[in-house]
């Protein structure tokens, strides 16, 4: 376990009150959807590099994204392309995380960030405490092994990740407990190098972890309390999109299109013609993308559809109850004065 400091700049999460973000717009505009550009400096300066792969916390207050931009924070950026950024939306302050090779996955309060970085020999998964600037190596204690694709529980205690050792062994899904410092394997399957497991997605309480078997195309959900392994696909080779934070809904993708399984009722709903990109924490709202890259927020139980924008999004991009969603696009007409000609990250809010 490593305790070396990770360089961050911008907000101090140890002193920032962790409150839900709410807008205060007067009149009828208060109830109209609105969009804000996130990939700018705190003073509004446009980024000089493209930004993408944004995620959000359940309350919509913090958003993390990747960017090679060099002007989002006042501090010097010495190695463009090796940084990720976190924006605090109530103040507009921007924090950079050095040597973060993937978009950080955030705890619900924005304090903990899990991401991939270079270890002493190979890629590894790390957890940073943004209130103190320290970080822990959560996976692959042996420097010859690799850990990637970390996903974090809402309290920042549990981190599920993909472990890869020697090529003769299959990849597996492990979980790290920050409080006890222990690790466990949550994926199951025969010890066959052709049966790699991949794409972990953890529930908010850390009890359930969704993952896929790359050899068979099966998708499973592991329950760490009961030890049960539940198959979630519908007999079609599938990939994991996202497990909802409440652990009740799993979104999948396949050659036949996207689908969503209600893990309690066992029902599967298919979404022909669109891809499901993300699920809200309560499992009731989905962010989808059609063939023309139109992003739409829709209710799993038939609630009205809301256009979000145009572009791309990733798992973890929808906040609680679908009140907001983050996405990236190169469209220059989303907000006024967008003249950098690059992909930017935006937050859409329902009201």
């Amino acid at each position: 376990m490593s305790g070396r400091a990770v360089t961050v700049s911008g907000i101090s999460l140890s002193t920032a009150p962790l409150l839900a973000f709410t807008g205060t717009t007067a009149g009828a505009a208060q109830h109209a959807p609105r969009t804000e550009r996130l990939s700018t400096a705190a003073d509004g300066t446009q980024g000089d590099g493209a930004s993408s792969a944004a995620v959000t916390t359940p309350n919509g207050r913090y958003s993390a994204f990747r960017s090679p931009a060099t002007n989002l924070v006042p501090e010097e950026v010495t190695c463009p392309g090796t940084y990720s950024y976190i924006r605090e939306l109530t103040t507009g302050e921007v924090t950079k995380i050095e040597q973060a090779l993937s978009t950080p996955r955030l705890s619900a309060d924005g304090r903990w960030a899990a991401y991939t970085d270079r270890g002493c020999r190979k890629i590894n998964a790390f957890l940073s405490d943004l209130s103190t600037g320290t970080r822990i190596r959560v996976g692959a204690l042996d420097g010859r092994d690799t850990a990637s694709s970390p996903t974090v529980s809402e309290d920042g205690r549990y981190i599920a990740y993909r472990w890869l050792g020697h090529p003769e062994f299959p990849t597996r899904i492990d979980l790290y407990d920050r409080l006890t410092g222990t690790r466990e394997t949550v994926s199951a399957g025969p010890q066959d190098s052709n049966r790699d497991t991949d794409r972990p997605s953890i529930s908010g309480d850390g009890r359930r972890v969704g993952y896929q078997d790359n050899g068979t195309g099966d998708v499973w959900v592991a329950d760490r309390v009961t030890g049960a392994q539940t198959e979630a696909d519908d007999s079609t080779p599938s990939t994991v999109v996202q497990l909802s934070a409440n652990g009740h809904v799993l979104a999948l993708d396949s050659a036949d299109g996207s689908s969503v399984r209600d893990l309690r009722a066992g029902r599967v709903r298919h979404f022909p013609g669109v891809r499901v990109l993300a699920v809200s924490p309560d499992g009731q709202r989905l962010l989808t993308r059609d063939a023309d890259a139109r992003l739409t927020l829709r209710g799993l139980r038939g609630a009205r559809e809301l256009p979000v924008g145009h572009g791309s999004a990733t798992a973890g991009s929808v906040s609680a109850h679908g009140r907001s969603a983050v996405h990236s696009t190169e469209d220059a007409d989303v907000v006024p004065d967008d003249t950098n000609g690059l992909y930017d990250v935006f937050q859409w809010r329902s009201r």
Side-chain angles (χ1 to χ4, degrees), residues 27-346:
Q30 183 178 4
H31 304 288
R34 61 187 187 273
T35 301
E36 175 185 355
R37 182 162 50 165
L38 305 186
S39 51
T40 65
D43 63 3
T45 300
Q46 299 184 94
D48 58 6
S51 300
S52 62
V55 298
T56 185
T57 51
N59 62 9
R61 177 172 178 174
Y62 298 95
S63 178
F65 57 91
R66 291 275 298 150
S67 180
T70 63
N71 62 343
L72 300 183
V73 292
E75 294 80 10
E76 182 181 8
V77 174
T78 56
C79 299
T82 65
Y83 298 93
S84 290
Y85 295 89
I86 299 173
R87 188 178 188 94
E88 204 274 26
L89 274 77
T90 58
T91 65
E93 291 296 322
V94 179
T95 299
K96 73 175 179 180
I97 300 183
E98 295 186 1
Q99 299 176 327
L101 303 181
S102 65
T103 298
R105 301 291 169 158
L106 303 175
S107 59
D109 61 6
R111 173 179 175 178
W112 300 95
Y115 54 92
T116 301
D117 186 15
R118 295 183 180 91
C120 59
R121 296 185 183 180
K122 294 185 178 181
I123 297 296
N124 213 311
F126 292 87
L127 180 71
S128 284
D129 182 346
L130 300 182
S131 68
T132 64
T134 60
R135 75 173 188 171
I136 302 167
R137 185 173 64 183
V138 303
L141 289 179
D142 188 331
R144 295 172 295 180
D145 297 342
T146 296
S148 62
S149 305
T151 176
V152 66
S153 62
E154 289 189 332
D155 62 0
R157 174 175 177 174
Y158 302 106
I159 300 90
Y161 58 93
R162 179 178 182 261
W163 174 92
L164 172 62
H166 191 278
E168 71 179 73
F169 300 114
T171 62
R172 66 178 189 239
I173 305 303
D174 282 1
L175 181 138
Y176 173 75
D177 183 334
R178 173 176 55 82
L179 295 187
T180 65
T182 57
R183 294 164 177 81
E184 63 184 272
T185 297
V186 297
S187 58
Q191 295 300 301
D192 179 344
S193 62
N194 294 320
R195 297 289 296 277
D196 292 336
T197 51
D198 202 358
R199 299 180 67 87
S201 185
I202 196 169
S203 61
D205 60 4
R207 172 175 174 170
R208 297 177 176 87
V209 179
Y211 64 93
Q212 68 192 46
D213 184 324
N214 288 344
T216 63
D218 296 335
V219 170
W220 299 87
V221 177
D223 187 322
R224 298 178 48 246
V225 174
T226 67
Q229 296 277 345
T230 302
E231 188 170 0
D233 59 88
D234 62 350
S235 301
T236 301
S238 303
T239 59
V240 172
V241 174
Q242 184 183 352
L243 178 66
S244 62
N246 63 9
H248 296 164
V249 170
L250 181 67
L252 312 170
D253 206 13
S254 73
D256 296 334
S258 290
S259 61
V260 173
R261 177 174 286 273
D262 183 327
L263 295 168
R264 293 178 299 176
R267 293 189 297 267
V268 176
R269 180 177 175 185
H270 295 270
F271 292 85
V274 298
R275 286 190 59 206
V276 175
L277 304 179
V279 183
S280 64
D282 63 358
Q284 296 302 307
R285 303 290 188 277
L286 309 174
L287 185 63
T288 65
R289 184 177 188 262
D290 66 14
D292 296 318
R294 289 188 294 259
L295 301 173
T296 302
L297 193 69
R298 62 183 74 204
L300 186 58
R301 298 181 178 176
R304 66 191 179 106
E305 298 180 2
L306 298 173
V308 170
H310 175 270
S312 61
T314 189
S317 58
V318 179
S319 72
H321 308 294
R323 294 192 182 103
S324 67
V326 291
H327 68 285
S328 60
T329 182
E330 61 180 345
D331 294 350
D333 58 354
V334 179
V335 296
D337 302 318
D338 184 348
T339 59
N340 63 357
L342 299 167
Y343 271 87
D344 278 303
V345 168
F346 299 86

